Amino acid sequence: MDVLSRYEPLLDDYGAFRDACDRDLPHLVRVNTLKTTVSRAIEALDAEGIAAERVGWHDALLELDTDAPGATWPYFLGWLHGQEAVSAIPPVVLDPDPGDRILDACAAPGSKTGQLAAAMEDRGRIVANDANLGRLAPLRSNMERLGVTNVAVTNRDARHVSLEGWGFDAFDAALVDAPCSGEGTIRKNPVALEDWSEGFLSDVSSLQRDILKRAIRVTKPGGTVVYATCTFAPEENEAVLDAVLETEDCRLRDFDLPLDTDPGVTEWRGEHFDESVRTAKRVWPHRNDTGGFFCAKLAVGG
């Protein structure tokens, strides 16, 4: 089955989309501003003979002319972290403040967790949760290398995250970078679609809805929840938002993103979604030379 062909109705430049999906991604790193500055990191890379170019929409992202940034001493020391451009979107949209209490519901291996910590100046508290025990080791390792100290790592089903024992009544904000079909990762993982099925979409969308609902329920009124996936499927994106809007005390918020994006779709295969899903952003691989991504911002408490 040609999975990607199902998205032709959503694009007026479908050929460019398919061509982009066949190309390798640029090699990017995020500068860890808890340990160094962007200028100092660029100088260190230059001394290693590696050219670095700033990514226009995010000051701390650098495109490198090497496919092995992890073999450099700035990376080893935690100055750099390998991070795809679209992976940097959710923390930017969440925009936490130092001192905030943040739930990162599906955190491993920690790229977004580390970015949140840097934005918070390593203050406040991030509860970095992941249901997969095997993924906690790289999460912890990355936090140690990056010098992050405001993270508590937990191993729970994100559908049942608890506030018990933390000493506060609710999170200020939550990030749900949900488990998904991974269609948008095809540029770095060409076999991503080998086990794809519409049955899996049905199963994973149910999981996504439940995780997002729980994140909303443990976030304070007036707080923010960011929902993100690396898939093109409306079943995992707009349909999830539509279902959650029906049952939870929340609303979708518009937000700016300095990338070429499409709005969320309000109709898919005969199913109609709440008009407010248009405030979500779809990032297609050919528009910004990135992976595929979806992101939405919700305000808790209506």
Side-chain angles (χ1 to χ4, degrees):
M1 177 182 180
D2 182 4
V3 175
L4 299 181
S5 64
R6 73 197 302 261
Y7 304 117
E8 187 169 1
L10 301 181
L11 292 162
D12 57 10
D13 47 2
Y14 178 72
F17 162 69
R18 291 305 300 256
D19 289 343
C21 289
D22 291 333
R23 295 195 298 269
D24 291 338
L25 280 170
H27 303 294
L28 265 63
V29 294
R30 178 179 58 82
V31 177
N32 175 26
T33 53
L34 294 178
K35 285 196 169 184
T36 191
T37 64
V38 175
S39 296
R40 192 178 179 197
I42 292 174
E43 291 173 2
L45 288 164
D46 183 64
E48 294 286 293
I50 298 172
E53 183 177 346
R54 294 176 189 249
V55 174
W57 72 274
H58 192 294
D59 290 343
L61 287 178
L62 302 176
E63 182 176 347
L64 308 184
D65 66 350
T66 177
D67 60 358
T72 66
W73 68 261
Y75 196 99
F76 180 78
L77 291 179
W79 289 18
L80 307 173
H81 185 74
Q83 189 163 350
E84 187 184 345
V86 290
S87 174
I89 291 173
V92 170
V93 176
L94 189 66
D95 191 24
D97 292 321
D100 277 351
R101 297 157 175 163
I102 307 293
L103 169 64
D104 191 352
C106 311
S111 294
K112 299 172 186 68
T113 314
Q115 187 180 346
L116 288 169
M120 296 165 66
E121 300 173 2
D122 202 31
R123 295 160 54 192
R125 172 67 59 84
I126 302 172
V127 176
N129 178 74
D130 205 274
N132 187 332
L133 182 62
R135 289 165 59 87
L136 295 191
L139 172 59
R140 288 195 182 100
S141 176
N142 281 325
M143 295 307 100
E144 290 172 4
R145 183 177 57 83
L146 295 172
V148 173
T149 65
N150 70 335
V151 166
V153 175
T154 61
N155 175 220
R156 299 198 65 169
D157 185 327
R159 294 172 291 186
H160 308 295
V161 167
S162 173
L163 288 162
E164 185 178 353
W166 293 117
F168 50 84
D169 295 331
F171 291 99
D172 296 302
L175 170 59
V176 177
D177 181 32
C180 69
S181 60
E183 297 168 338
T185 68
I186 193 170
R187 293 185 66 182
K188 68 178 179 182
N189 182 21
V191 299
L193 304 183
E194 284 188 355
D195 297 324
W196 187 96
S197 71
E198 293 204 5
F200 177 75
L201 291 189
S202 177
D203 291 342
V204 77
S205 63
S206 176
L207 173 65
Q208 291 158 345
R209 288 194 300 269
D210 289 345
I211 293 174
L212 181 54
K213 288 178 181 180
R214 185 58 185 163
I216 291 167
R217 291 170 186 175
V218 297
T219 300
K220 71 180 185 181
T224 297
V225 176
V226 170
Y227 177 74
T229 73
C230 52
T231 181
F232 311 116
E235 294 91 339
E236 302 178 70
N237 295 326
E238 291 90 349
V240 169
L241 297 176
D242 182 72
V244 168
L245 288 171
E246 287 187 0
T247 64
E248 305 306 309
D249 186 15
C250 64
R251 61 180 174 82
L252 283 163
R253 294 176 55 190
D254 201 3
F255 59 95
D256 293 325
L257 195 62
L259 290 165
D260 185 358
T261 65
D262 281 355
V265 300
T266 57
E267 183 178 358
W268 175 249
R269 295 190 166 186
E271 187 174 359
H272 295 266
F273 309 127
D274 190 291
E275 284 292 319
S276 67
V277 302
R278 291 184 183 276
T279 62
K281 304 287 191 280
R282 286 181 157 267
V283 181
W284 298 97
H286 58 297
R287 302 276 176 79
N288 307 278
D289 196 18
T290 64
F293 211 70
F294 178 89
C295 191
K297 187 173 188 177
L298 299 103
V300 177

